[in-house]
Amino acid sequence: MTKIAVENVNVPGQVTNVDAAKYTAMKDAMLRVMSRDPMTAAQIKDAAKAHLPEDLFPAGATSGWWVKCVQLDLEAKSVLTRHATKPLTWSIA
């Protein structure tokens, strides 16, 4: 299994290695459904599920964890912007 290093916007400098195939699939799905219009985590997860490969995410399994992992990494890389809303929302930077 190939790994990819991800960052966490909440813990600067910390790098974690995760499954590259699942990370890439979720990142691609999220970037496909997101825009400059703010979306909640639930909206991102629900929209991204339709674009995930069934072999990596059978019936959307573990997609919530992967949405959060990718969201934190993309925030750390300034690809996503977190908005100070309740509930929290994100958009493409």
Side-chain angles (χ1 to χ4, degrees):
M1 169 172 46
T2 304
K3 299 281 189 173
I4 190 168
V6 296
E7 300 173 58
N8 182 334
V9 70
N10 297 323
V11 188
Q14 177 179 329
V15 176
T16 305
N17 294 313
V18 298
D19 182 280
K22 287 188 176 187
Y23 174 88
T24 302
M26 181 58 77
K27 178 182 171 186
D28 291 347
M30 287 173 63
L31 293 178
R32 177 181 268 183
V33 301
M34 294 183 73
S35 68
R36 293 197 185 276
D37 296 327
M39 297 174 72
T40 66
Q43 290 170 324
I44 296 166
K45 178 182 168 188
D46 289 344
K49 272 186 185 180
H51 302 283
L52 296 174
E54 186 67 20
D55 62 323
L56 294 176
F57 297 93
T62 70
S63 61
W65 188 90
W66 284 98
V67 164
K68 191 63 172 177
C69 173
V70 173
Q71 170 246 305
L72 291 169
D73 183 56
L74 294 182
E75 271 189 86
K77 292 177 167 106
S78 299
V79 175
L80 295 183
T81 299
R82 182 186 301 208
H83 303 279
T85 57
K86 293 212 184 234
L88 285 173
T89 56
W90 293 265
S91 64
I92 300 292

Coordinates of all heavy atoms in Angstrom, one line a residue:
M1 N 0.9 -1.2 0.0 CA 0.0 0.0 0.0 C 0.9 1.2 0.0 O 1.7 1.4 0.9 CB -0.9 0.0 1.2 CG -1.7 1.2 1.5 SD -2.9 1.2 2.7 CE -2.2 0.4 4.1
T2 N 0.7 2.1 -1.0 CA 1.4 3.3 -1.1 C 0.9 4.4 -0.1 O -0.3 4.5 0.0 CB 1.4 3.9 -2.5 OG1 1.8 2.9 -3.4 CG2 2.2 5.1 -2.7
K3 N 1.7 5.1 0.5 CA 1.3 6.1 1.5 C 1.6 7.5 0.9 O 2.5 7.7 0.1 CB 2.1 6.0 2.8 CG 1.9 4.6 3.5 CD 0.6 4.6 4.2 CE 0.5 3.4 5.1 NZ -0.7 3.4 5.9
I4 N 0.9 8.5 1.5 CA 1.1 9.9 1.1 C 1.1 10.7 2.4 O 0.4 10.4 3.4 CB 0.0 10.4 0.2 CG1 0.3 11.8 -0.4 CG2 -1.4 10.4 0.8 CD1 -0.6 12.2 -1.5
A5 N 2.0 11.7 2.5 CA 2.1 12.6 3.7 C 1.0 13.6 3.6 O 0.8 14.3 2.6 CB 3.5 13.2 3.7
V6 N 0.3 13.8 4.7 CA -0.7 14.8 4.9 C -0.5 15.7 6.1 O 0.1 15.3 7.1 CB -2.2 14.2 5.0 CG1 -2.5 13.5 3.7 CG2 -2.3 13.4 6.2
E7 N -0.9 16.9 6.0 CA -0.7 17.9 7.0 C -2.0 18.1 7.8 O -3.1 17.7 7.3 CB -0.2 19.2 6.5 CG 1.1 19.2 5.7 CD 1.4 20.5 5.0 OE1 1.5 21.5 5.8 OE2 1.6 20.5 3.8
N8 N -2.0 18.8 8.9 CA -3.2 19.1 9.7 C -3.1 20.6 10.0 O -2.2 21.0 10.7 CB -3.2 18.3 10.9 CG -4.5 18.5 11.8 OD1 -5.1 19.6 11.7 ND2 -4.9 17.5 12.5
V9 N -4.0 21.4 9.5 CA -4.0 22.8 9.8 C -4.1 23.1 11.2 O -3.6 24.2 11.7 CB -5.2 23.5 9.0 CG1 -6.5 23.1 9.6 CG2 -5.0 25.0 9.0
N10 N -4.6 22.3 12.1 CA -4.7 22.5 13.5 C -3.5 22.2 14.3 O -3.3 22.5 15.4 CB -5.9 21.7 14.1 CG -7.2 22.1 13.5 OD1 -7.5 23.3 13.3 ND2 -8.1 21.1 13.3
V11 N -2.5 21.4 13.6 CA -1.3 21.0 14.3 C -0.1 21.3 13.3 O 0.4 20.4 12.6 CB -1.3 19.5 14.7 CG1 -0.1 19.2 15.5 CG2 -2.6 19.2 15.4
P12 N 0.2 22.6 13.1 CA 1.3 22.9 12.2 C 2.6 22.1 12.4 O 3.0 21.9 13.5 CB 1.5 24.4 12.4 CG 0.3 24.9 13.0 CD -0.2 23.7 13.9
G13 N 3.1 21.6 11.3 CA 4.4 20.9 11.4 C 4.2 19.4 11.5 O 5.1 18.6 11.3
Q14 N 3.0 18.9 11.9 CA 2.7 17.5 12.0 C 2.4 16.9 10.7 O 1.5 17.5 9.9 CB 1.6 17.3 13.0 CG 1.3 15.8 13.1 CD 0.1 15.5 14.1 OE1 -0.1 16.3 15.1 NE2 -0.6 14.5 13.9
V15 N 3.0 15.8 10.3 CA 2.8 15.1 9.1 C 2.4 13.7 9.4 O 3.1 13.1 10.2 CB 4.0 15.2 8.1 CG1 3.8 14.4 6.9 CG2 4.3 16.6 7.8
T16 N 1.4 13.2 8.8 CA 0.9 11.8 9.0 C 0.9 11.2 7.6 O 0.5 11.8 6.6 CB -0.5 11.8 9.6 OG1 -0.5 12.6 10.8 CG2 -1.0 10.4 9.9
N17 N 1.2 9.9 7.6 CA 1.2 9.1 6.3 C -0.1 8.3 6.3 O -0.4 7.6 7.2 CB 2.4 8.2 6.2 CG 3.7 9.0 6.1 OD1 3.8 9.9 5.3 ND2 4.7 8.6 6.8
V18 N -0.8 8.5 5.2 CA -2.1 7.8 5.0 C -2.1 7.1 3.6 O -1.3 7.4 2.8 CB -3.3 8.7 5.1 CG1 -3.4 9.4 6.5 CG2 -3.3 9.8 4.0
D19 N -3.1 6.2 3.4 CA -3.3 5.5 2.2 C -3.4 6.5 1.0 O -4.4 7.3 1.0 CB -4.5 4.6 2.3 CG -4.7 3.7 1.0 OD1 -5.2 4.3 0.1 OD2 -4.3 2.6 1.0
A20 N -2.5 6.4 0.1 CA -2.5 7.3 -1.1 C -3.7 7.2 -2.0 O -4.2 8.2 -2.5 CB -1.2 7.2 -1.9
A21 N -4.1 6.0 -2.2 CA -5.3 5.7 -3.2 C -6.5 6.3 -2.6 O -7.3 7.0 -3.3 CB -5.4 4.2 -3.4
K22 N -6.8 6.1 -1.3 CA -8.0 6.6 -0.7 C -7.9 8.1 -0.6 O -8.9 8.8 -0.8 CB -8.3 6.0 0.7 CG -8.7 4.6 0.6 CD -9.2 4.0 1.9 CE -9.8 2.6 1.8 NZ -10.3 2.2 3.0
Y23 N -6.8 8.7 -0.2 CA -6.6 10.1 -0.1 C -6.9 10.8 -1.5 O -7.6 11.7 -1.6 CB -5.2 10.5 0.4 CG -5.0 12.0 0.4 CD1 -5.3 12.8 1.5 CD2 -4.5 12.6 -0.8 CE1 -5.1 14.1 1.4 CE2 -4.3 14.0 -0.8 CZ -4.6 14.7 0.3 OH -4.5 16.1 0.3
T24 N -6.2 10.3 -2.5 CA -6.4 10.8 -3.8 C -7.8 10.7 -4.3 O -8.3 11.7 -4.9 CB -5.4 10.2 -4.8 OG1 -4.1 10.3 -4.3 CG2 -5.5 10.8 -6.2
A25 N -8.5 9.6 -4.1 CA -9.8 9.5 -4.5 C -10.7 10.5 -3.8 O -11.6 11.1 -4.5 CB -10.3 8.0 -4.3
M26 N -10.6 10.6 -2.5 CA -11.4 11.6 -1.8 C -11.1 13.0 -2.2 O -12.0 13.9 -2.4 CB -11.2 11.4 -0.3 CG -12.1 12.4 0.5 SD -13.9 12.2 0.2 CE -14.3 10.7 1.1
K27 N -9.8 13.3 -2.4 CA -9.4 14.7 -2.8 C -10.0 15.0 -4.1 O -10.6 16.1 -4.3 CB -7.9 14.8 -2.9 CG -7.4 16.2 -3.3 CD -5.9 16.2 -3.4 CE -5.4 17.4 -4.1 NZ -4.0 17.4 -4.4
D28 N -10.0 14.1 -5.1 CA -10.5 14.3 -6.4 C -12.0 14.5 -6.3 O -12.6 15.4 -7.0 CB -10.2 13.2 -7.3 CG -8.7 13.1 -7.7 OD1 -8.0 14.1 -7.4 OD2 -8.3 12.1 -8.3
A29 N -12.7 13.7 -5.5 CA -14.2 13.8 -5.4 C -14.5 15.2 -4.7 O -15.5 15.8 -5.2 CB -14.7 12.7 -4.5
M30 N -13.8 15.5 -3.7 CA -14.1 16.8 -3.0 C -13.9 18.0 -3.9 O -14.8 18.9 -4.0 CB -13.3 16.9 -1.7 CG -13.7 16.0 -0.6 SD -12.6 16.1 0.8 CE -12.7 17.8 1.4
L31 N -12.8 18.0 -4.6 CA -12.5 19.2 -5.5 C -13.5 19.2 -6.7 O -13.8 20.3 -7.2 CB -11.1 19.1 -6.0 CG -10.0 19.3 -4.9 CD1 -8.6 19.2 -5.4 CD2 -10.2 20.7 -4.2
R32 N -14.1 18.1 -7.0 CA -15.0 18.0 -8.1 C -16.4 18.7 -7.7 O -17.0 19.3 -8.5 CB -15.3 16.6 -8.5 CG -16.4 16.4 -9.6 CD -16.6 15.0 -9.9 NE -15.7 14.6 -11.0 CZ -15.7 13.4 -11.6 NH1 -16.4 12.5 -11.1 NH2 -14.9 13.2 -12.6
V33 N -16.7 18.5 -6.4 CA -18.0 19.0 -5.9 C -18.0 20.4 -5.3 O -19.0 21.0 -5.1 CB -18.7 18.0 -5.0 CG1 -18.9 16.7 -5.7 CG2 -18.0 17.8 -3.7
M34 N -16.8 20.8 -4.9 CA -16.7 22.1 -4.1 C -16.4 23.2 -5.1 O -15.9 23.0 -6.2 CB -15.6 22.0 -3.1 CG -15.9 21.0 -2.0 SD -14.6 21.0 -0.7 CE -15.0 22.6 0.1
S35 N -16.8 24.4 -4.7 CA -16.6 25.6 -5.4 C -16.2 26.8 -4.5 O -15.9 26.5 -3.3 CB -17.8 26.0 -6.2 OG -18.9 26.4 -5.4
R36 N -16.4 28.0 -4.9 CA -16.2 29.1 -4.0 C -17.4 29.4 -3.1 O -17.3 30.2 -2.2 CB -15.9 30.4 -4.8 CG -14.5 30.2 -5.5 CD -14.0 31.6 -6.0 NE -12.8 31.5 -6.8 CZ -11.6 31.4 -6.3 NH1 -11.4 31.4 -5.0 NH2 -10.5 31.3 -7.1
D37 N -18.5 28.6 -3.3 CA -19.6 28.7 -2.5 C -19.4 27.8 -1.2 O -19.1 26.6 -1.4 CB -20.9 28.2 -3.2 CG -21.2 29.1 -4.4 OD1 -21.0 30.3 -4.3 OD2 -21.8 28.6 -5.4
P38 N -19.6 28.4 0.0 CA -19.3 27.6 1.2 C -20.3 26.4 1.3 O -21.4 26.4 1.0 CB -19.6 28.6 2.3 CG -19.4 29.9 1.7 CD -19.9 29.8 0.3
M39 N -19.7 25.3 1.8 CA -20.4 24.0 2.1 C -20.1 23.5 3.5 O -18.9 23.7 3.9 CB -20.0 23.0 1.0 CG -20.4 23.3 -0.4 SD -19.7 22.0 -1.5 CE -20.8 20.6 -1.2
T40 N -21.1 22.9 4.1 CA -20.8 22.3 5.4 C -20.1 21.0 5.2 O -20.1 20.4 4.1 CB -22.1 22.0 6.2 OG1 -22.9 21.0 5.5 CG2 -22.9 23.3 6.4
A41 N -19.5 20.4 6.3 CA -18.9 19.1 6.2 C -19.9 18.0 5.7 O -19.5 17.2 4.9 CB -18.3 18.7 7.5
A42 N -21.1 18.1 6.2 CA -22.1 17.1 5.8 C -22.4 17.2 4.3 O -22.6 16.2 3.6 CB -23.4 17.3 6.6
Q43 N -22.5 18.5 3.8 CA -22.8 18.7 2.4 C -21.6 18.2 1.5 O -21.8 17.5 0.5 CB -23.0 20.2 2.1 CG -24.3 20.7 2.6 CD -24.4 22.2 2.5 OE1 -23.4 22.9 2.7 NE2 -25.6 22.7 2.3
I44 N -20.4 18.4 1.9 CA -19.2 17.9 1.2 C -19.2 16.4 1.1 O -19.0 15.8 0.1 CB -17.9 18.5 1.8 CG1 -17.9 20.0 1.7 CG2 -16.7 17.8 1.2 CD1 -16.8 20.7 2.6
K45 N -19.4 15.8 2.3 CA -19.4 14.3 2.4 C -20.5 13.7 1.5 O -20.2 12.8 0.7 CB -19.6 13.9 3.8 CG -19.7 12.4 4.0 CD -19.9 12.0 5.5 CE -20.3 10.6 5.6 NZ -20.7 10.2 6.9
D46 N -21.7 14.3 1.6 CA -22.8 13.7 0.8 C -22.6 13.9 -0.7 O -22.8 13.0 -1.5 CB -24.1 14.4 1.2 CG -24.6 14.0 2.5 OD1 -24.1 12.9 3.1 OD2 -25.5 14.7 3.1
A47 N -22.1 15.0 -1.1 CA -21.8 15.3 -2.5 C -20.7 14.5 -3.1 O -20.7 14.0 -4.2 CB -21.6 16.8 -2.8
A48 N -19.6 14.3 -2.3 CA -18.4 13.6 -2.7 C -18.7 12.1 -2.8 O -18.1 11.4 -3.7 CB -17.3 13.8 -1.7
K49 N -19.6 11.5 -2.0 CA -19.8 10.1 -2.1 C -20.1 9.6 -3.5 O -19.7 8.5 -3.8 CB -21.0 9.7 -1.1 CG -20.6 9.5 0.3 CD -21.8 9.0 1.1 CE -21.5 8.8 2.5 NZ -22.7 8.3 3.3
A50 N -20.9 10.4 -4.2 CA -21.3 9.9 -5.6 C -20.1 9.8 -6.5 O -20.2 9.1 -7.6 CB -22.3 10.9 -6.2
H51 N -18.9 10.3 -6.1 CA -17.8 10.3 -7.0 C -16.6 9.4 -6.5 O -15.5 9.4 -7.1 CB -17.2 11.8 -7.2 CG -18.3 12.7 -7.8 ND1 -18.6 12.7 -9.1 CD2 -19.1 13.6 -7.1 CE1 -19.6 13.6 -9.3 NE2 -19.9 14.2 -8.1
L52 N -16.9 8.6 -5.5 CA -15.9 7.8 -4.9 C -15.9 6.4 -5.6 O -17.0 5.9 -5.8 CB -16.1 7.6 -3.4 CG -16.0 8.9 -2.6 CD1 -16.4 8.6 -1.1 CD2 -14.5 9.4 -2.6
P53 N -14.8 5.8 -5.8 CA -14.7 4.4 -6.4 C -15.3 3.4 -5.3 O -14.9 3.4 -4.2 CB -13.3 4.2 -6.7 CG -12.5 5.2 -5.9 CD -13.4 6.4 -5.6
E54 N -16.1 2.6 -5.8 CA -16.8 1.6 -4.9 C -15.8 0.6 -4.3 O -15.9 0.1 -3.2 CB -17.8 0.8 -5.7 CG -18.7 -0.2 -4.9 CD -19.6 0.5 -3.9 OE1 -19.9 1.7 -4.0 OE2 -20.0 -0.2 -3.0
D55 N -14.7 0.3 -5.1 CA -13.7 -0.7 -4.5 C -12.9 -0.1 -3.3 O -12.5 -0.9 -2.5 CB -12.7 -1.1 -5.6 CG -11.9 0.0 -6.2 OD1 -12.4 1.1 -6.4 OD2 -10.7 -0.2 -6.5
L56 N -12.8 1.2 -3.3 CA -12.1 1.8 -2.1 C -13.0 2.2 -1.0 O -12.6 2.2 0.2 CB -11.3 3.1 -2.6 CG -10.1 2.8 -3.5 CD1 -9.5 4.2 -4.0 CD2 -9.1 2.0 -2.9
F57 N -14.2 2.6 -1.4 CA -15.2 3.1 -0.4 C -16.6 2.4 -0.6 O -17.5 2.9 -1.1 CB -15.5 4.6 -0.5 CG -14.2 5.4 -0.3 CD1 -13.4 5.8 -1.3 CD2 -13.9 5.8 1.0 CE1 -12.3 6.6 -1.0 CE2 -12.8 6.6 1.3 CZ -12.0 7.0 0.2
P58 N -16.6 1.0 -0.3 CA -17.9 0.3 -0.5 C -19.0 0.9 0.3 O -18.9 1.1 1.5 CB -17.5 -1.1 0.0 CG -16.3 -1.0 0.7 CD -15.6 0.2 0.3
A59 N -20.1 1.3 -0.5 CA -21.2 1.9 0.1 C -20.9 3.2 0.9 O -21.5 3.5 1.9 CB -22.0 1.0 1.0
G60 N -19.8 3.9 0.5 CA -19.4 5.1 1.2 C -18.7 4.8 2.5 O -18.4 5.8 3.3
A61 N -18.3 3.6 2.8 CA -17.6 3.3 4.1 C -16.4 4.1 4.4 O -15.6 4.4 3.5 CB -17.2 1.8 4.1
T62 N -16.3 4.6 5.5 CA -15.2 5.5 6.1 C -15.0 6.8 5.4 O -14.1 7.5 5.6 CB -13.8 4.7 6.0 OG1 -13.3 4.6 4.7 CG2 -13.9 3.4 6.8
S63 N -16.0 7.2 4.5 CA -15.9 8.4 3.8 C -15.9 9.7 4.7 O -15.2 10.6 4.4 CB -17.0 8.6 2.8 OG -18.3 8.6 3.4
G64 N -16.5 9.6 5.9 CA -16.5 10.7 6.8 C -15.1 11.0 7.3 O -14.7 12.2 7.4
W65 N -14.4 10.0 7.7 CA -13.0 10.1 8.2 C -12.1 10.7 7.1 O -11.3 11.6 7.3 CB -12.4 8.8 8.6 CG -11.1 8.9 9.3 CD1 -10.9 9.1 10.7 CD2 -9.8 8.9 8.7 NE1 -9.6 9.3 10.9 CE2 -8.9 9.1 9.7 CE3 -9.4 8.8 7.4 CZ2 -7.5 9.2 9.5 CZ3 -8.0 8.8 7.1 CH2 -7.1 9.0 8.2
W66 N -12.3 10.2 5.9 CA -11.4 10.7 4.8 C -11.8 12.1 4.4 O -10.9 12.9 4.0 CB -11.5 9.7 3.6 CG -10.7 8.5 3.9 CD1 -11.1 7.3 4.4 CD2 -9.3 8.4 3.8 NE1 -10.1 6.4 4.6 CE2 -8.9 7.1 4.2 CE3 -8.3 9.2 3.4 CZ2 -7.6 6.6 4.3 CZ3 -7.0 8.8 3.5 CH2 -6.6 7.5 3.9
V67 N -13.0 12.5 4.4 CA -13.4 13.9 4.2 C -12.7 14.8 5.1 O -12.1 15.8 4.7 CB -14.9 14.1 4.3 CG1 -15.3 15.6 4.4 CG2 -15.7 13.6 3.1
K68 N -12.7 14.5 6.4 CA -12.0 15.3 7.4 C -10.5 15.3 7.2 O -9.8 16.4 7.3 CB -12.3 14.7 8.8 CG -11.9 15.7 9.9 CD -12.6 17.0 9.8 CE -12.4 17.9 11.0 NZ -13.1 19.2 10.8
C69 N -9.9 14.2 6.9 CA -8.5 14.1 6.7 C -8.1 15.0 5.5 O -7.1 15.8 5.6 CB -8.1 12.6 6.4 SG -6.4 12.4 5.8
V70 N -8.8 14.9 4.4 CA -8.4 15.7 3.2 C -8.7 17.1 3.5 O -7.9 18.0 3.1 CB -9.2 15.1 2.0 CG1 -9.0 16.1 0.8 CG2 -8.7 13.7 1.7
Q71 N -9.8 17.4 4.1 CA -10.2 18.8 4.4 C -9.1 19.5 5.3 O -8.6 20.6 4.9 CB -11.5 18.9 5.2 CG -11.9 20.2 5.7 CD -11.9 20.2 7.3 OE1 -12.6 19.4 7.9 NE2 -11.2 21.1 7.9
L72 N -8.6 18.9 6.3 CA -7.5 19.4 7.1 C -6.2 19.6 6.4 O -5.6 20.6 6.5 CB -7.3 18.6 8.4 CG -8.4 18.5 9.4 CD1 -8.2 17.4 10.4 CD2 -8.6 19.9 10.1
D73 N -5.9 18.7 5.5 CA -4.7 18.8 4.7 C -4.8 19.9 3.7 O -3.9 20.7 3.5 CB -4.5 17.4 4.0 CG -3.2 17.4 3.2 OD1 -2.1 17.7 3.7 OD2 -3.2 17.2 1.9
L74 N -6.0 20.0 3.0 CA -6.1 21.0 2.0 C -6.2 22.4 2.6 O -5.8 23.4 2.0 CB -7.4 20.7 1.1 CG -7.3 19.5 0.2 CD1 -8.5 19.3 -0.6 CD2 -6.0 19.5 -0.7
E75 N -6.7 22.5 3.8 CA -6.7 23.8 4.5 C -5.2 24.2 4.8 O -4.8 25.3 4.7 CB -7.4 23.7 5.9 CG -8.9 24.0 5.8 CD -9.5 24.1 7.2 OE1 -9.4 25.2 7.8 OE2 -10.0 23.1 7.7
A76 N -4.5 23.2 5.3 CA -3.0 23.5 5.6 C -2.3 23.9 4.4 O -1.3 24.7 4.5 CB -2.4 22.2 6.2
K77 N -2.7 23.4 3.2 CA -2.0 23.8 2.0 C -2.7 25.0 1.3 O -2.4 25.3 0.1 CB -2.0 22.6 1.0 CG -1.2 21.5 1.6 CD -1.2 20.2 0.7 CE -0.1 19.3 1.1 NZ -0.5 18.1 1.8
S78 N -3.6 25.6 2.0 CA -4.3 26.8 1.4 C -5.1 26.6 0.2 O -5.3 27.5 -0.6 CB -3.4 28.0 1.3 OG -2.8 28.3 2.5
V79 N -5.6 25.3 0.0 CA -6.4 25.0 -1.1 C -7.9 25.3 -0.8 O -8.7 25.7 -1.6 CB -6.2 23.5 -1.6 CG1 -7.2 23.1 -2.7 CG2 -4.8 23.3 -2.0
L80 N -8.2 25.0 0.5 CA -9.6 25.3 1.0 C -9.5 26.4 2.0 O -8.5 26.6 2.7 CB -10.2 24.0 1.7 CG -10.4 22.8 0.9 CD1 -11.1 21.7 1.7 CD2 -11.3 23.1 -0.3
T81 N -10.6 27.1 2.1 CA -10.8 28.2 3.1 C -11.9 27.8 4.1 O -12.9 27.4 3.7 CB -11.1 29.5 2.4 OG1 -10.1 29.9 1.5 CG2 -11.4 30.6 3.5
R82 N -11.6 27.9 5.4 CA -12.6 27.7 6.4 C -13.3 29.0 6.7 O -12.6 30.0 6.9 CB -11.9 27.2 7.7 CG -12.9 26.8 8.8 CD -12.2 26.4 10.1 NE -11.4 25.3 9.9 CZ -11.1 24.4 10.9 NH1 -11.5 24.6 12.1 NH2 -10.3 23.4 10.6
H83 N -14.6 29.0 6.8 CA -15.4 30.2 7.1 C -15.8 30.2 8.5 O -16.2 29.1 9.0 CB -16.6 30.3 6.1 CG -16.1 30.3 4.7 ND1 -15.7 31.5 4.1 CD2 -16.1 29.3 3.8 CE1 -15.4 31.2 2.8 NE2 -15.6 29.9 2.6
A84 N -15.8 31.3 9.2 CA -16.3 31.5 10.6 C -17.8 31.5 10.6 O -18.4 32.5 11.0 CB -15.7 32.7 11.2
T85 N -18.4 30.4 10.3 CA -19.9 30.3 10.3 C -20.3 29.2 11.3 O -19.4 28.4 11.7 CB -20.4 29.9 8.9 OG1 -19.7 28.7 8.5 CG2 -20.1 31.0 7.9
K86 N -21.5 29.2 11.6 CA -22.1 28.1 12.4 C -23.2 27.5 11.7 O -24.2 28.2 11.4 CB -22.5 28.6 13.8 CG -21.4 29.1 14.6 CD -21.7 28.9 16.1 CE -20.5 29.4 16.9 NZ -19.9 28.7 17.8
P87 N -23.2 26.2 11.2 CA -22.0 25.3 11.4 C -20.9 25.8 10.4 O -21.1 26.6 9.5 CB -22.6 24.0 10.9 CG -23.7 24.3 9.9 CD -24.3 25.6 10.5
L88 N -19.7 25.3 10.7 CA -18.5 25.6 9.9 C -18.8 25.3 8.4 O -19.4 24.3 8.1 CB -17.3 24.9 10.4 CG -16.6 25.3 11.7 CD1 -15.5 24.4 12.1 CD2 -16.1 26.7 11.5
T89 N -18.2 26.1 7.6 CA -18.3 25.8 6.1 C -16.9 26.0 5.5 O -16.1 26.7 6.1 CB -19.3 26.8 5.4 OG1 -19.0 28.1 5.7 CG2 -20.7 26.5 5.9
W90 N -16.7 25.4 4.3 CA -15.5 25.5 3.6 C -15.8 25.8 2.1 O -16.8 25.4 1.7 CB -14.7 24.2 3.7 CG -14.2 23.9 5.1 CD1 -12.9 24.2 5.6 CD2 -14.9 23.2 6.1 NE1 -12.9 23.7 6.9 CE2 -14.0 23.2 7.2 CE3 -16.2 22.7 6.2 CZ2 -14.4 22.6 8.4 CZ3 -16.5 22.1 7.4 CH2 -15.7 22.1 8.5
S91 N -14.8 26.4 1.5 CA -14.9 26.6 0.0 C -13.5 26.5 -0.6 O -12.5 26.5 0.2 CB -15.5 28.0 -0.3 OG -14.7 29.0 0.2
I92 N -13.5 26.5 -1.9 CA -12.2 26.5 -2.6 C -11.6 27.9 -2.4 O -12.3 28.9 -2.5 CB -12.4 26.2 -4.1 CG1 -13.0 24.9 -4.4 CG2 -11.1 26.4 -4.9 CD1 -12.1 23.7 -4.0
A93 N -10.3 27.9 -2.0 CA -9.6 29.2 -1.8 C -9.5 30.0 -3.0 O -9.5 29.6 -4.1 CB -8.3 28.9 -1.2

